[in-house]
Amino acid sequence: MAETGTLENYVGGTWVRSRSVESLEVPDPSNGSVLVRVPRSDAEDVDLAVRAARKAFETWRRQPVVERARRVLALRNLLEAHVDDFARSVMRENGKTLDEARASVERGIEATEFAASAPTTVQGSFLGDVTPGVDTTLIREPVGVVAGITPFNFPVMIPLWMAPLALVCGNTFILKPSERVPLSATMLARLFAEADFPSGTFNLVHGDVAAVNALLTHPGVNAVSFVGSAPTAKHVYTTAAAHGKRVQALAGAKNFIIVLPDADLDHSVPVIISSAYGMAGERCLAGSVVVAVEPGADRLIERLGDAVSHLATGPGTDPGTEMGPVIRAENRDRVLKWIREGEAMGAQVVARGTVPTGGEGYYVPPVLFDRVRPEMSIAQEEIFGPVLCVIRVGSLDEAIEIANRSRFGNASAIFTRDGKAARDFAHRIEAGMVGINIGVPAPAAYFPFAGWKGSFYGDLHATGRDAIEFYTHRKVVISRWF
Ligand code: NAD
């Protein structure tokens, strides 16, 4: 860190000050105090990082995959040893509770473990005597320099979906983390160095729009993995593709949870509450609309409302806290505006939790809306805050039809004891990640993570075997020996 309290970029194995004179404050969401400043790196900073990554690529790509995997294993062990430090950092800059922060870091470690299995997973294939004496071998090669552009809500987990896998496949990597959570990314860069990744293989460029646009258009960047909001995802996808890059862009969400009258409410209600209000609703898998199939909506709403009004909101540092603040004052104001808009449209607030009094934290009271209609904007747009809307319907068919009308398709869930209904739902719902009595259907790191429709731009999903395909070119060698 420079004396000014502004973070530095990590480029070619050294910490360097951004060329840009502009920087942004990074406040602690739980009290508004400034933690640090983050530079708004520009095209020159990005160019420096791309040059370093290109240079490192020439030697790194030739390292045996087993050597690369050993470094990933070293990284995994360091992450495990520092899991509490990372959890505290995520809690502090993002506002999650400590338990939520630790769980998210553990998911990042899981992705790192999957990356370490590369000597098996990046193997190609072979078919002998395709015609007599002619053999065909498929091999995988790295794509080159990969840029990872990440959102604020998972400061460690999402960079770890990307960097270890991209690197183990033989690519070099540039992380452009969210400017709203740059501290955990800085800790990650130190750990990549400690795990002995050679200079220039892992680079960190802080910043916002200018840094992203420079990465999307730089001829030295071969692939872009992005996670963030829908409008940015579309911009990233179209711009990177127009500049000849391979790109995957995971976008926003509006996740529907269908609750059938036979659902086991004792088990289901806490899971639905955690899905909608956990991480203050700032999760791309957060349940946002409950579609309650009658009869039974009154009973469900009463239980949900009771839980919402008792949610303990406060700073993550307080062990009693169940829900932390949202990331910024603008986000708080935007969510409060959605709540007012919902009321103005005729939806009914049936429960509203409390927020800590005094202080400068960005707290939003958790809110439960009843009598929401599918055409209302609060049922269609991503609110990304602690607001759950209930739509009442008469049948499972109607519920699926409403969920499938959404322009998003990230995740969806059903709560029921009826296996046939759950099976029908799983087959008919238009979403990439589906939960059956699971509120946050996050696939483990060995499965692909992404949504459908407006929740995803690209072909190959993040994590799992899809990610290996994304981070490698396939080459087919056809050979005959005379
Ligand atoms: P965001 O789109 O504001 O920012 C994401 C990244 O893009 C950041 O690094 C930011 O610096 C950059 N960026 C922002 N605006 C830009 C612009 N105009 N031009 C170029 N770059 C820009 O997203 P966020 O608020 O940090 O994250 C929350 C969003 O991410 C939510 O919509 C959430 O649903 C989504 N998300 C999706 C998934 C998924 O798996 N689909 C996972 C996590 C988060």
Side-chain angles (χ1 to χ4, degrees):
M1 201 191 296
E3 320 75 75
T4 53
T6 304
L7 293 172
E8 291 178 327
N9 294 333
Y10 183 67
V11 174
T14 43
W15 291 95
V16 292
R17 209 175 288 191
S18 162
R19 311 287 164 109
S20 163
V21 290
E22 290 182 44
S23 64
L24 299 165
E25 283 183 351
V26 180
D28 177 336
S30 72
N31 58 29
S33 68
V34 177
L35 295 170
V36 74
R37 296 190 72 86
V38 63
R40 302 185 74 190
S41 300
D42 60 17
E44 231 186 295
D45 295 308
V46 166
D47 184 56
L48 204 67
V50 176
R51 282 168 195 273
R54 285 235 75 85
K55 185 159 173 255
F57 178 60
E58 291 316 315
T59 40
W60 178 245
R61 67 181 304 183
R62 286 180 227 297
Q63 288 274 326
V65 64
V66 180
E67 287 298 319
R68 299 195 299 252
R70 283 194 183 123
R71 297 225 170 68
V72 171
L73 275 175
L75 176 76
R76 182 251 169 238
N77 292 341
L78 286 165
L79 284 163
E80 188 71 43
H82 294 283
V83 67
D84 288 334
D85 303 332
F86 275 100
R88 272 193 296 275
S89 168
V90 168
M91 173 188 74
R92 199 160 62 122
E93 64 180 351
N94 171 279
K96 292 183 211 283
T97 67
L98 192 57
D99 284 350
E100 290 169 342
R102 186 179 289 107
S104 75
V105 175
E106 281 163 1
R107 295 307 291 259
I109 294 175
E110 182 185 275
T112 310
E113 287 164 353
F114 175 70
S117 60
T120 305
T121 51
V122 302
Q123 285 177 18
S125 57
F126 172 85
L127 186 66
D129 285 323
V130 171
T131 59
V134 174
D135 299 333
T136 300
T137 310
L138 181 149
I139 56 178
R140 288 203 170 81
E141 294 191 354
V143 293
V145 173
V146 175
I149 301 164
T150 53
F152 78 82
N153 62 340
F154 287 98
V156 169
M157 180 185 85
I158 293 179
L160 289 177
W161 281 357
M162 301 172 178
L165 253 185
L167 286 161
V168 85
C169 290
N171 305 284
T172 52
F173 190 81
I174 303 169
L175 175 64
K176 204 305 286 170
S178 166
E179 66 281 12
R180 293 184 275 184
V181 291
L183 285 164
S184 305
T186 300
M187 286 171 65
L188 272 180
R190 288 196 202 107
L191 234 58
F192 276 91
E194 209 178 320
D196 217 16
F197 280 86
S199 300
T201 52
F202 178 93
N203 305 277
L204 169 69
V205 176
H206 289 293
D208 54 355
V209 180
V212 171
N213 288 338
L215 285 165
L216 301 180
T217 52
H218 197 297
V221 173
N222 302 96
V224 176
S225 182
F226 170 88
V227 181
S229 63
T232 319
K234 191 173 179 189
H235 165 68
V236 166
Y237 182 74
T238 51
T239 312
H243 286 80
K245 302 179 197 324
R246 181 176 287 202
V247 50
Q248 57 179 192
L250 281 68
K254 190 77 183 173
N255 304 314
F256 287 72
I257 294 179
I258 296 174
V259 183
L260 295 189
D262 70 350
D264 171 348
L265 292 191
D266 288 344
H267 288 104
S268 306
V269 166
V271 175
I272 295 169
I273 290 289
S274 159
S275 170
Y277 301 98
M279 302 188 188
E282 291 178 327
R283 220 169 7 198
C284 70
L285 295 177
S288 182
V289 179
V290 159
V291 188
V293 179
E294 298 282 17
D298 281 341
R299 216 162 36 99
L300 170 67
I301 289 162
E302 195 186 324
R303 300 278 292 266
L304 290 172
D306 185 51
V308 168
S309 45
H310 289 101
L311 270 177
T313 307
T317 42
D318 182 341
T321 292
E322 293 169 300
M323 196 187 93
V326 295
I327 189 78
R328 288 287 180 274
E330 308 88 87
N331 295 60
R332 174 197 61 201
D333 296 345
R334 212 198 51 232
V335 178
L336 292 174
K337 192 163 162 247
W338 277 118
I339 295 170
R340 287 195 300 273
E341 199 166 317
E343 288 179 293
M345 283 181 294
Q348 201 182 324
V349 172
V350 286
R352 188 192 297 260
T354 53
V355 294
T357 48
E360 299 294 321
Y362 313 135
Y363 294 100
V364 177
V367 160
L368 179 68
F369 271 118
D370 187 12
R371 306 286 169 190
V372 175
R373 290 190 309 277
E375 67 278 9
M376 288 180 179
S377 53
I378 53 168
Q380 295 184 5
E381 302 300 326
E382 182 175 49
I383 296 176
F384 223 54
V387 177
L388 181 61
C389 299
V390 181
I391 297 175
R392 296 165 178 249
V393 298
S395 68
L396 174 60
D397 283 348
E398 204 184 332
I400 293 175
E401 205 258 316
I402 286 170
N404 283 350
R405 246 189 271 154
S406 172
R407 71 176 196 281
F408 295 109
N410 211 40
S412 191
I414 192 167
F415 286 82
T416 181
R417 297 180 214 233
D418 180 339
K420 168 76 166 64
R423 184 180 184 280
D424 281 355
F425 164 79
H427 284 258
R428 289 167 54 198
I429 196 75
E430 294 169 6
M433 295 170 277
V434 173
I436 295 174
N437 297 315
I438 299 281
V440 181
Y446 359 98
F447 287 94
F449 191 117
W452 288 9
K453 304 199 282 189
S455 292
F456 179 61
Y457 294 87
D459 303 287
L460 293 164
H461 291 189
T463 75
R465 285 187 179 272
D466 263 32
I468 288 169
E469 296 293 339
F470 182 78
Y471 293 123
T472 55
H473 280 304
R474 277 164 296 172
K475 184 183 272 179
V476 178
V477 181
I478 304 155
S479 58
R480 171 166 58 199
W481 294 93
F482 296 114

